């Protein structure tokens, strides 16, 4: 058996022995199972690349350091995605058909009418006119905190309205 094959076998054995524990480690930190599995695979791939230097040291400490760094990186990316979602930078699917777009506009129009005038104005300025919190506050003559409050309340009401349009089977009412 060549040295390369021996290293491969050692890393595979280590992977089989520690995979479940490391996935649990990541899942307890809030990483979804599928992402945790990918991170674990990447960790052991990185171990294999450095196996000739790590095999006689505490390689699992190194592995957990990589896993922790990847977990932190995933959370930073997830936080940036959530930040964009909360501030109106939505990724709208390109393949929506015309009918669904019309239905969505009808529901949105109805839902907007149920908001207070300030909430409606805030939503229109922030998301339709794509204005920042500061610009919206200046336009409306209120504080940035008030704009954030109106936005939060309006989005909560719109979400409740949207949830009411979907039955438990996932079909529109």
């Amino acid at each position: 058996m060549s040295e390369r094959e021996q290293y491969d076998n050692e890393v595979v054995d280590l992977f089989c022995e520690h995979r479940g524990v490391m996935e649990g480690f990541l899942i307890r930190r809030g990483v979804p199972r599928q992402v945790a599995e990918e991170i674990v695979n990447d960790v052991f791939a990185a171990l294999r690349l450095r196996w000739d230097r790590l095999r006689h040291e505490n390689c699992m400490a190194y592995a957990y350091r990589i896993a922790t760094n990847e977990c932190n990186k995933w959370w930073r990316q997830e936080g940036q995605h959530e930040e964009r979602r909360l501030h109106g930078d939505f990724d709208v699917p390109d393949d929506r058909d015309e009918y669904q777009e019309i239905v969505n506009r009808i529901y949105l129009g109805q839902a907007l009418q149920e908001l207070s005038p300030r909430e409606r104005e805030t939503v229109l300025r922030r998301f339709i006119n794509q204005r920042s919190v500061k610009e919206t506050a200046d336009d409306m003559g209120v504080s940035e905190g008030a704009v954030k409050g109106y936005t939060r309340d309006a989005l909560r009401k719109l979400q409740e309205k949207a949830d009411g349009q979907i039955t438990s089977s996932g079909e529109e009412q």
Side-chain angles (χ1 to χ4, degrees):
M1 177 184 309
S2 72
E3 188 175 86
R4 182 183 179 123
E5 290 172 337
Q6 180 183 355
Y7 288 179
D8 289 345
N9 290 337
E10 290 172 1
V11 173
V12 167
D13 290 343
L14 198 65
F15 174 78
C16 292
E17 183 179 345
H18 293 279
R19 179 189 73 218
V21 175
M22 189 175 285
E23 285 176 8
F25 168 80
L26 293 166
I27 290 168
R28 284 189 301 278
R29 280 156 182 73
V31 176
R33 180 172 300 280
Q34 183 178 359
V35 175
E37 291 171 359
E38 291 174 16
I39 290 173
V40 170
N41 290 337
D42 292 345
V43 165
F44 282 94
L47 273 181
R48 174 56 189 97
L49 291 174
R50 296 164 187 85
W51 192 245
D52 58 331
R53 293 182 305 255
L54 295 171
R55 69 187 291 224
H56 297 296
E57 297 180 19
N58 188 356
C59 60
M60 288 312 296
Y62 182 76
Y64 276 93
R65 172 54 52 203
I66 295 171
T68 300
N69 290 344
E70 289 298 312
C71 177
N72 293 341
K73 185 168 86 174
W74 182 83
W75 272 110
R76 279 192 303 275
Q77 291 171 345
E78 190 66 17
Q80 290 170 355
H81 172 73
E82 185 68 12
E83 187 72 19
R84 287 191 305 269
R85 188 186 71 76
L86 290 175
H87 290 88
D89 190 10
F90 296 99
D91 293 327
V92 179
D94 294 331
D95 58 350
R96 285 189 180 179
D97 64 353
E98 192 174 329
Y99 170 77
Q100 188 61 46
E101 187 65 31
I102 292 169
V103 170
N104 290 343
R105 286 179 185 267
I106 291 170
Y107 283 139
L108 180 60
Q110 291 171 348
L112 286 172
Q113 293 307 312
E114 295 178 13
L115 299 177
S116 72
R118 285 289 193 165
E119 291 168 342
R120 187 172 36 255
E121 182 180 4
T122 303
V123 167
L124 292 174
R125 288 179 186 274
R126 292 276 326 279
F127 303 114
I128 305 302
N129 297 338
Q130 298 181 343
R131 308 282 287 177
S132 70
V133 172
K134 182 173 181 13
E135 292 169 330
T136 302
D138 291 344
D139 292 347
M140 293 175 63
V142 298
S143 69
E144 290 181 34
V147 169
K148 291 177 183 179
Y150 293 139
T151 302
R152 181 194 62 238
D153 294 343
L155 292 177
R156 180 184 45 78
K157 289 177 184 177
L158 291 172
Q159 182 64 50
E160 288 171 0
K161 178 73 173 168
D163 290 344
Q165 297 298 326
I166 305 295
T167 65
S168 60
S169 66
E171 297 176 2
E172 295 177 7
Q173 290 180 347

